[in-house]
Amino acid sequence: MNSLGGGPSGALGGVPNLGQADPNIKAVQAAMESCYGKTVMSGVMGFGMGGVFGMFMASMAYDTPFHTAGGPGSTATPVSSLPLKQQLKIGFKDMGTRSYSMAKNFGKVGALYSGIECGVEGLRAKNDMVNSAAAGCLTGGILAKNAGPQAALGGCAAFAAFSVAIDLWVRSPAKDE
């Protein structure tokens, strides 16, 4: 009989202990530590978080369509006068649209910031606050570039400040209570 952690291979329940020597684990770790891996992972995770956040925000929104879109010259029909099935169809369609929109935005921001930060860290060969500030500034500027130079500068400053604030919070020592 195997005791807890006492299998012949030293693993729980007799499952072989796959440690750092396994080439598959090394390959996955190397992929996740590369700039490409970090960028893709951040984009995918951002897309997922954005989808969940968008679904939540859409369900809480008070600006959902209260009228259906009518054709030219027709009057709009209040959604509350439609059958329940039609109301749900309109509501879920709106929720899906908003969720997908938020997911794309979060994914784009996550991938852009992560890729730039990893690139800056690789160029500087340091891991400090300057990387966060530079990546935040570049990300904010790139995201706001279509609104003009003043908006790009504001996006740069705001995103850099936010990035540094989050990095300071993450790097702060844990309080033992």
Side-chain angles (χ1 to χ4, degrees), residues 68-82:
T68 59
S74 66
T75 59
T77 307
V79 171
S80 60
S81 66
L82 295 173

Side-chain angles (χ1 to χ4, degrees), residues 114-125:
S114 180
I116 291 172
E117 184 182 36
C118 188
V120 168
E121 184 176 332
L123 285 173
R124 295 185 64 238

Side-chain angles (χ1 to χ4, degrees), residues 112-113 116-117 119-121 124 128-142 156 159-161 163-164 167:
L112 190 61
Y113 177 79
I116 291 172
E117 184 182 36
V120 168
E121 184 176 332
R124 295 185 64 238
D128 57 8
M129 295 293 168
V130 176
N131 296 346
S132 295
C137 180
L138 285 170
T139 301
I142 289 169
C156 168
F159 214 104
S163 299
V164 169
D167 210 5

Side-chain angles (χ1 to χ4, degrees), residues 8-76:
S9 60
L12 291 174
V15 177
N17 188 2
L18 299 176
Q20 298 296 326
D22 186 16
N24 294 326
I25 291 178
K26 285 184 178 181
V28 169
Q29 284 179 341
M32 289 173 55
E33 290 175 3
S34 72
C35 284
Y36 296 116
K38 287 180 182 179
T39 301
V40 169
M41 195 168 39
S42 294
V44 170
M45 295 300 287
F47 188 87
M49 278 298 283
V52 170
F53 188 71
M55 194 179 310
F56 173 74
M57 294 303 288
S59 69
M60 297 302 224
Y62 291 107
D63 60 347
T64 55
F66 290 110
H67 296 84
T68 59
S74 66
T75 59

